[in-house]
Amino acid sequence: MSALLAAWLLPRFVLRGLLEGFAMLFAVGMVALIAQMRGSAESAEEFDRASVEAEPRVGLSGRVYLYFAALLVLYGGLETCLSGWLTTFALRYGDKTLAVSEYTTLLLWMSLTVGRVGASAVMLRVGEKTVQRWGLGLSAVFTAALAMAHSAVTIAGFAVLLGLSLAPFFPATWALLMAERPTARQAGIVLAVSGLGAAALPWLMGVVSTGAGSLQVALALPFAAALGLLVMSWFRPRVPAIVG
């Protein structure tokens, strides 16, 4: 929705004022979040103590820990590369208006949301590994096809397909992680490190695009990330969780 709102507001307001407004809203949201976290800190600590007393501590081995962290780093970069650069890609190679290009990114986010609902239903009947691998394989195919698209309609269509194919990865991978019984701290760190890929890979994609003079060439980066994740899905470490 932020992309849609920005596309609607940009023709009506000065860019600097618009950015300041979004920054203010972000600051207000952060203050509210911090206040909420402080309010629930004591109850969370009490719950953690009760959980420790009720159940034996479990945790991931080093290899499994690093494996899931690497998966989330690559996936965070893959998703953010596509969502972060799709507007620019659609503006250059599809429709030449910013509003329509922003709608393309909105389609990606909408299909991701709908796809995750559908993926949850599919995983009631199909294993997580199968769903994860099919989604990654299709993501690689659709990313390569997106690089060759030259019309607004085609780019929008591949945005929808990419959203649907990327959608199963996170719930499937998280289910596989939970099956290894990580500690709460380990699970939190694995989730947090996805931000490293989300920051690094889009930046690297911009560097590649500038150096090659083509955003189509730079799509090789998310394509390689999807293939890398697909290969990694076949080589999950078979090390049992460590009881500590």
Side-chain angles (χ1 to χ4, degrees), residues 87 128 140 149 174 200 231:
T87 297
E128 290 88 355
W174 196 253
V231 171

Side-chain angles (χ1 to χ4, degrees), residues 172-198:
T173 303
W174 196 253
L176 292 170
L177 172 63
M178 289 298 101
E180 300 289 345
R181 301 186 68 191
T183 63
R185 181 181 180 83
Q186 287 176 331
I189 292 175
V190 168
L191 181 61
V193 295
S194 65
L196 298 176

Side-chain angles (χ1 to χ4, degrees), residues 10-135:
L10 275 173
R12 295 167 173 79
F13 297 93
V14 179
L15 178 60
R16 180 174 180 176
L18 189 60
L19 292 175
E20 289 174 349
F22 274 104
M24 186 179 299
L25 289 174
F26 177 77
V28 171
M30 287 299 296
V31 170
L33 178 62
I34 291 171
Q36 182 181 9
M37 291 175 64
R38 286 180 177 177
S40 59
E42 293 183 1
S43 58
E45 289 178 2
E46 292 177 2
F47 177 79
D48 287 342
R49 287 194 216 102
S51 298
V52 169
E53 293 173 0
E55 296 182 1
R57 289 179 57 85
V58 296
L60 302 176
S61 67
R63 290 177 61 191
V64 176
Y65 195 5
L66 291 176
Y67 172 78
F68 280 103
L71 284 180
L72 268 295
V73 167
L74 274 181
Y75 177 73
L78 169 61
E79 183 180 305
T80 311
C81 276
L82 294 171
S83 61
W85 283 99
L86 187 58
T87 297
T88 305
F89 185 87
L91 190 60
R92 290 183 185 177
Y93 302 104
D95 196 287
K96 302 302 181 183
T97 63
L98 179 61
V100 174
S101 301
E102 287 283 3
Y103 295 150
T104 304
T105 305
L106 179 62
L107 286 174
L108 174 67
W109 284 114
M110 289 176 64
S111 58
L112 264 171
T113 303
V114 173
R116 281 184 176 151
V117 174
S120 300
V122 170
M123 284 190 294
L124 295 175
R125 296 173 174 81
V126 182
E128 290 88 355
K129 294 179 186 177
T130 303
V131 173
Q132 182 193 59
R133 290 165 185 167
W134 270 100

